[in-house]
Amino acid sequence: MPTVEPYLAMQGVQKSFRTKLGSIQALKDIDFEAAKGSFISIIGPSGCGKSTLLACVGGMDFPTSGRIVVDGRPVTGPSRRLGYVFQEESIFPWRTALANVRFALEGRGMSRHDRDARAREMLAAVGLTGFEGAYPAGLSGGMKQRVAIARVLAAEPEVVLMDEPFGALDQQTRLLVGEQVLRIWEATHQTILFVTHDIQEAILLSNEVVVLSARPGRIIERVTVPFPHPREASLAGTTEFADIAARLWHILSGEAKKAFIESEARRG
Amino acid sequence: MKTGGYLATVVALIAIWFLVTKLGWISSQILPAPGDVLGSVGPLASSGELQSSLGTTLFRILMSFLLGVVLGVPLGGFAWRFPGAGQAMRPYLAASYSVPLVVFYPFFLVVFGINDWPVIALTTVMTTVPVCLNTYVGLQAAPKVLVDVGRSLERTPGQIFRQILLPSAWPHTLAGIKLSMVYAVVGVIALEFIAAQAGLGNRIQYYYETFDPDSMYVFIILTLLLAGFCVALVVVIEALTTHGRGTFVMTGHSGAVASRADAPTTGGAGIRAGLRAIVIPALALIVWYILSRLVFVVVSPPVAIRTLIRDLGNVQYLGDLGDTLMKIAIAFAVSAILGTVIGITVGLVRPAREIFEPLILILNGVPKIVLYPILLVIFGLGGISQIIMGIIFGTLPVLVNVMSGLATMRPVYRKVARMLEVGPMRALFRVYLPAVMPMLIVALQLGFSLSVLGVLYSELIASRNGLGQRIIETYSAGIYDRMTASVLVVLFIALSGAWLLHLVERSVMRHH
C-alpha cells in the first residue's frame, strides 16, 4: 500500500546548544505531521524552544538530528518557499511600505510594473491601501508588522512561519491584526505555523494547537480547535472556547511553573 | 524658529561689528570697519586672487572629503568582515582622534613638496577615520533580523551586504561623513596656514604678516562662508539619502560618537587580546622602519630615540617642552571649567539657552583657526595667544557636550528633584551633574584633545617658543632627526593625557 507523504513533517527532531556550562538540550524527539492548508499554533512556556523549532522549519537554524520535510523536499536552509514573519521589527527603515513588499519580488525577472502591482495587492490584503509611500518611521507597530506579513505573502511561500508576530503589539492591535491574518488564511488556505505564548490567540486563529513542554521542548499535547470559519473575535466569549482555553491553561501552567523555577534557580 | 535663531545671531554679530568699529572701541588694526573690508573685496576680486584662492581651497577640501569617504567605507567594511582586524584597529582609530595629526605635516611637506598634495594627503587621513569607524560600528549594529529577511528571501551574501547591511549602516556612515566634512574644512584651512603655496588659509596668514587687516578679514569671512557652504553640502547629501527615514544618529560634537566606547582598553581577556593589542604597534614600528629606508625625511626608530634622549638633556629644549606643557595645562583647565559652567548655565537656564545656543553651534562649526591671526595682532607671538587658541578649541566641545547632556537628561530626574523639594544648588550637585557625568567625561576627553590641538596648531603657525615651533624650525632647517624626536614627544603628551582621562573615566563610570 503506498503511503501518502504528509505535506509538512518533522521526524525525530532534536536540537542542543553548546554553552560554557555544557550542552543544553532545547528540543527533544519532535515528531509531527501537518496537512496542506492547516493553521497550526505552537504554544509553550518561555524558553521551551518553540522559536527554535520554527527556525529549524524555516531553515534559519538546523536541528542537531532528525529531519524536516516540506512538500516532499527536505529543508536545507532558508528558502522563498518558507515565508518567515519575525517577532522583531523586520521591515527596512530606508524603504517605503511598498518598496519593502517589493523587496520580496526583486530579482525574479518580473517587470517593475508587475512588481509594483503585486506589492500593492499584498498591501491591500493587509489593509494598508493608502500607505504605499509611507516610510516605516511614520507607521505604527501594528502597521509595520502588517507590511512584514505582506512582504512574506508576496513571495508566495508554501508555508508561512510566524514567530510571535504580534509579541510587540498592544492587546487591541494584536486582536485586529490577528483577525486580518485569519481573513487572509480563510481566503488563501495557506499552511501556517504560528508560534505564540497567548492561549486565546492560538485558539482563535488556528485549527490545531500544539503544546510544547518546558525545556527540553517535547510535544506533550495536540488539541484540535473545532470552530468553523469564518471566525469572529466574539468566539472567545463562548463556553466551548473557555473549555479549550482552560484545558490548555491547565497543561501549560504546570510546564510554565517548571520553566520559571528553573530560570530563577539559574539566576540565583 | 531654528533658522530664525541662527539668522538673528548672524545679524546681531554684524550689527555689533558695525557698532564697535563706528564707536572706535577697537583699533582698526584688530577689527577694521565693515566698509573698509568690503572696499578691499573689489581689488582682490579683479586681480583674480580671491577666486583662485577660493578655488584652490575648495578643491583641496572636496578632494580630502571624497577620498576620506571612498577609503573610509571599504575600510569600515573590511574591519567588519574581519572582526579580528577590526577589533585590533578600532582602539587605535579612536585614539587617532586624540592625536594632533597636524604634527605629521612636515613629513608630508618634504615628501610631496609644497603644493596641493601634502594638504590633501594629511587631511585625508583625518577624514578617513570617522567614516571608517562609523561604518564599522553601523555594520556591527545592523539588526540580525534584517539579514535574516534577506536570507529567507534567498539573497546571496553579496546582495545582503549591498541591499541590507550598507543601507542599515547608512545613518552611522552618514554621521561619519558629516564629521569628515568638518575635518576636511578644518584640516585644509589649518594646514594652509602653516605652509602652503596658495589657498584661503595661506592668504589670511599672508595678509597678517603684511599688516593688511582689511584684506585679511576679506579672507577670514570668505573662509567662514566656505565652511558654511561645505556643511550645507553634507546636509543636502543627508536630505537626499534619508528622506522620511526619521530616526537619526545625531552627533553632539566631532568624535563624541566614537571616543568613549572605543578608547583603548586594558587588561582582561587573555592572551589573544594581548596579542591583538600589540599587533598594530608592532606593525606600525615595522612600517616606520621600512619608511625610514625608503624616504630620507623619516629617520629610523633607533636614531629617533637617540636624538630624543640627547634633546631631553638640553636645558633649552626642556624649556620648550615645559612651555608647551604649561600652555596645554592652562588651556585645558580653563576649557574644562569654562565649558562646564557655561554649558550648565545655558543648558539649565532657558532664556540663556535661547539666546546663546545658535551662537555656540555656529562657533562650533567654523574653523576656529582663522581667529589666530587676530589673536596674534592683539597678544603678539608670546604664549598667551597659543593658550587662548587652546581655550577656544577646548571650551566648545566641553560646552556643547554638557549642554546636550542636560538637554537629553531624562526629565524624570528633574521631576524627582522637584517632588522632593531639593534646593537648586543641591539639585545641581546631587542630580544634574551626576546625571550628565558620562557626557561630561566624554566632553573633558574631547576638550583635552582639542586643547592640545589648539596649542599645537598655533605653535606650528607662528610662535616664539614651544614644541610646535621647534618642529617647524627643525623642518625649515632640514634637521629631520630632531624634528622626528619632537613629533614623538608631542604624540606622547597627547596620548598620555588621553590615557589619564580614560583612567578617570573608568573609575567614575564603574556603576554606569
Side-chain angles (χ1 to χ4, degrees):
Chain A
M1 205 172 82
T3 51
V4 180
E5 182 109 349
Y7 191 67
L8 189 157
M10 306 176 204
Q11 294 154 357
V13 171
Q14 315 240 19
K15 174 80 186 173
S16 38
F17 294 103
R18 228 182 288 279
T19 69
K20 273 182 204 150
L21 304 171
S23 166
I24 289 183
Q25 190 161 31
L27 294 171
K28 198 182 167 194
D29 303 329
I30 304 281
D31 282 293
F32 178 78
E33 292 175 356
K36 187 172 180 167
S38 32
F39 193 146
I40 294 168
S41 289
I42 302 170
I43 63 173
S46 308
C48 74
K50 49 191 191 292
S51 289
T52 306
L53 180 62
L54 202 72
C56 289
V57 179
M60 309 300 291
D61 203 340
F62 298 98
T64 315
S65 65
R67 64 186 218 131
I68 297 168
V69 180
V70 173
D71 198 14
R73 281 184 292 160
V75 172
T76 54
S79 156
R80 292 175 61 83
R81 68 192 185 110
L82 308 167
Y84 212 107
V85 181
F86 300 91
Q87 178 179 9
E88 308 105 289
E89 211 174 290
S90 66
I91 62 174
F92 303 127
W94 58 90
R95 283 173 170 245
T96 61
L98 189 73
N100 259 290
V101 179
R102 203 169 54 211
F103 184 80
L105 305 164
E106 283 162 7
R108 320 290 307 165
M110 272 168 100
S111 77
R112 190 181 172 95
H113 178 267
D114 289 351
R115 283 196 307 241
D116 272 3
R118 175 104 180 107
R120 265 171 220 289
E121 208 179 293
M122 289 298 121
L123 278 179
V126 295
L128 284 178
T129 303
F131 290 95
E132 289 85 355
Y135 281 89
L139 298 175
S140 69
M143 289 165 137
K144 287 183 211 171
Q145 204 53 299
R146 276 141 74 194
V147 173
I149 292 170
R151 183 172 60 193
V152 161
L153 295 178
E156 297 184 313
E158 293 165 8
V159 179
V160 177
L161 306 162
M162 299 182 143
D163 184 10
E164 300 200 34
F166 313 142
L169 307 182
D170 64 73
Q171 193 59 38
Q172 285 92 348
T173 315
R174 250 182 123 103
L175 267 173
L176 292 173
V177 183
E179 237 176 314
Q180 221 149 20
V181 169
L182 198 54
R183 294 291 98 84
I184 291 169
W185 181 83
E186 283 161 358
T188 61
H189 279 276
Q190 233 160 347
T191 312
I192 298 182
L193 280 193
F194 187 94
V195 166
T196 179
H197 57 253
D198 185 323
I199 293 176
Q200 313 267 330
E201 191 172 80
I203 303 172
L204 193 59
L205 297 180
S206 51
N207 306 109
E208 186 181 349
V209 180
V210 174
V211 186
L212 293 192
S213 67
R215 203 166 57 200
R218 291 169 291 114
I219 296 180
I220 49 175
E221 190 73 56
R222 296 180 64 167
V223 177
T224 306
V225 183
F227 306 116
H229 288 272
R231 291 179 187 169
E232 298 296 334
S234 57
L235 201 63
T238 63
T239 32
E240 295 107 303
F241 191 100
D243 286 345
I244 299 176
R247 188 166 152 221
L248 285 172
W249 174 243
H250 180 73
I251 304 165
L252 205 55
S253 61
E255 291 301 320
K257 245 175 242 157
K258 269 191 238 164
F260 182 71
I261 289 164
E262 199 204 326
S263 85
E264 297 275 290
R266 250 180 296 130
R267 274 195 158 236
Chain B
M1 162 62 220
K2 221 174 119 203
T3 33
Y6 288 111
L7 217 63
T9 306
V10 172
V11 170
L13 286 175
I14 294 172
I16 291 171
W17 181 15
F18 260 103
L19 213 66
V20 295
T21 49
K22 195 90 188 162
L23 296 173
W25 288 353
I26 294 183
S27 137
S28 65
Q29 279 300 305
I30 296 172
L31 185 65
D36 296 339
V37 174
L38 216 58
S40 47
V41 171
L44 288 172
S46 61
S47 73
E49 185 185 333
L50 204 86
Q51 298 87 325
S52 75
S53 311
L54 191 62
T56 305
T57 300
L58 186 62
F59 168 73
R60 290 168 179 168
I61 290 175
L62 291 183
M63 275 306 273
S64 317
F65 169 70
L66 288 176
L67 284 172
V69 175
V70 167
L71 294 173
V73 173
L75 270 176
F78 172 82
W80 170 82
R81 177 68 186 75
F82 302 99
Q87 298 242 301
M89 276 161 62
R90 190 168 163 162
Y92 293 93
L93 285 177
S96 79
Y97 283 128
S98 18
V99 171
L101 290 169
V102 61
V103 294
F104 292 107
Y105 188 48
F107 294 106
F108 285 74
L109 280 172
V110 177
V111 174
F112 291 97
I114 297 190
N115 54 46
D116 288 340
W117 295 103
V119 178
I120 294 174
L122 181 54
T123 310
T124 299
V125 175
M126 304 179 192
T127 55
T128 306
V129 175
V131 179
C132 170
L133 253 180
N134 278 287
T135 304
Y136 173 51
V137 171
L139 287 170
Q140 280 192 322
K144 187 181 163 296
V145 66
L146 298 187
V147 174
D148 283 344
V149 169
R151 287 174 63 209
S152 93
L153 289 166
E154 295 183 18
R155 294 297 207 269
T156 63
Q159 286 173 327
I160 287 178
F161 188 74
R162 279 194 313 278
Q163 298 175 353
I164 296 175
L165 285 164
L166 275 184
S168 176
W170 183 245
H172 289 268
T173 306
L174 197 63
I177 287 177
K178 278 184 177 168
L179 282 180
S180 169
M181 184 54 106
V182 173
Y183 290 168
V185 173
V186 173
V188 166
I189 302 281
L191 297 183
E192 285 177 350
F193 262 95
I194 297 169
Q197 120 256 52
L200 296 177
N202 169 270
R203 292 292 86 192
I204 297 171
Q205 183 64 7
Y206 172 78
Y207 287 113
Y208 153 72
E209 281 166 359
T210 54
F211 304 106
D212 182 353
D214 296 352
S215 304
M216 180 175 97
Y217 270 89
V218 171
F219 283 103
I220 289 180
I221 292 169
L222 206 58
T223 305
L224 298 182
L225 291 177
L226 182 68
F229 167 78
C230 290
V231 172
L233 208 65
V234 201
V235 173
V236 171
I237 297 178
E238 172 175 15
L240 286 178
T241 55
T242 61
H243 40 96
R245 200 166 156 177
T247 49
F248 234 77
V249 187
M250 279 302 295
T251 46
H253 185 270
S254 26
V257 220
S259 100
R260 199 161 71 80
D262 300 336
T265 44
T266 41
I271 300 170
R272 276 187 71 129
L275 274 177
R276 208 180 277 150
I278 61 161
V279 157
I280 299 270
L283 270 178
L285 213 59
I286 292 168
V287 170
W288 179 5
Y289 188 76
I290 294 172
L291 274 178
S292 74
R293 306 307 294 261
L294 297 175
V295 194
F296 71 96
V297 60
V298 182
V299 299
S300 73
V303 174
I305 299 296
R306 258 201 312 272
T307 314
L308 180 62
I309 292 167
R310 205 180 55 218
D311 272 348
L312 288 175
N314 177 328
V315 180
Q316 259 186 326
Y317 190 88
L318 286 177
D320 272 318
L321 175 59
D323 282 335
T324 298
L325 280 175
M326 187 196 63
K327 289 177 201 169
I328 291 173
I330 296 175
F332 174 56
V334 175
S335 302
I337 296 167
L338 214 58
T340 312
V341 170
I342 301 178
I344 287 176
T345 315
V346 177
L348 286 179
V349 183
R350 176 160 289 186
R353 174 132 139 241
E354 267 160 20
I355 295 171
F356 291 111
E357 196 169 17
L359 178 66
I360 290 165
L361 293 179
I362 288 174
L363 279 178
N364 196 33
V366 300
K368 289 164 278 291
I369 198 73
V370 298
L371 299 175
Y372 190 55
I374 306 174
L375 291 178
L376 288 177
V377 175
I378 304 173
F379 299 103
L381 287 172
I384 295 179
S385 293
Q386 292 107 50
I387 291 175
I388 295 183
M389 213 56 217
I391 294 173
I392 294 175
F393 267 61
T395 304
L396 276 161
V398 177
L399 200 167
V400 170
N401 268 322
V402 170
M403 204 170 75
S404 57
L406 282 170
T408 55
M409 181 181 78
R410 290 172 54 196
V412 69
Y413 295 151
R414 218 174 169 152
K415 288 183 194 154
V416 169
R418 278 188 15 217
M419 177 194 69
L420 294 173
E421 294 183 25
V422 180
M425 275 330 248
R426 194 169 277 227
L428 177 62
F429 286 104
R430 304 260 166 104
V431 182
Y432 302 144
L433 269 184
V436 297
M437 195 46 92
M439 284 291 261
L440 183 63
I441 300 235
V442 175
L444 291 181
Q445 289 174 333
L446 279 170
F448 175 75
S449 309
L450 283 161
S451 292
V452 173
L453 194 61
V455 169
L456 256 299
Y457 264 150
S458 38
E459 283 186 352
L460 286 164
I461 294 169
S463 167
R464 198 169 288 138
N465 53 30
L467 285 174
Q469 194 268 343
R470 282 259 168 182
I471 291 174
I472 282 298
E473 197 180 83
T474 44
Y475 153 71
S476 309
I479 317 172
Y480 299 133
D481 53 348
R482 300 190 57 197
M483 180 177 96
T484 309
S486 296
V487 168
L488 284 181
V489 176
V490 172
L491 295 184
F492 179 76
I493 293 172
L495 287 175
S496 47
W499 176 247
L500 282 177
L501 283 167
H502 174 64
L503 292 183
V504 173
E505 175 185 5
R506 290 227 304 187
S507 77
V508 173
M509 300 295 292
R510 276 188 319 264
H511 306 299
H512 280 267

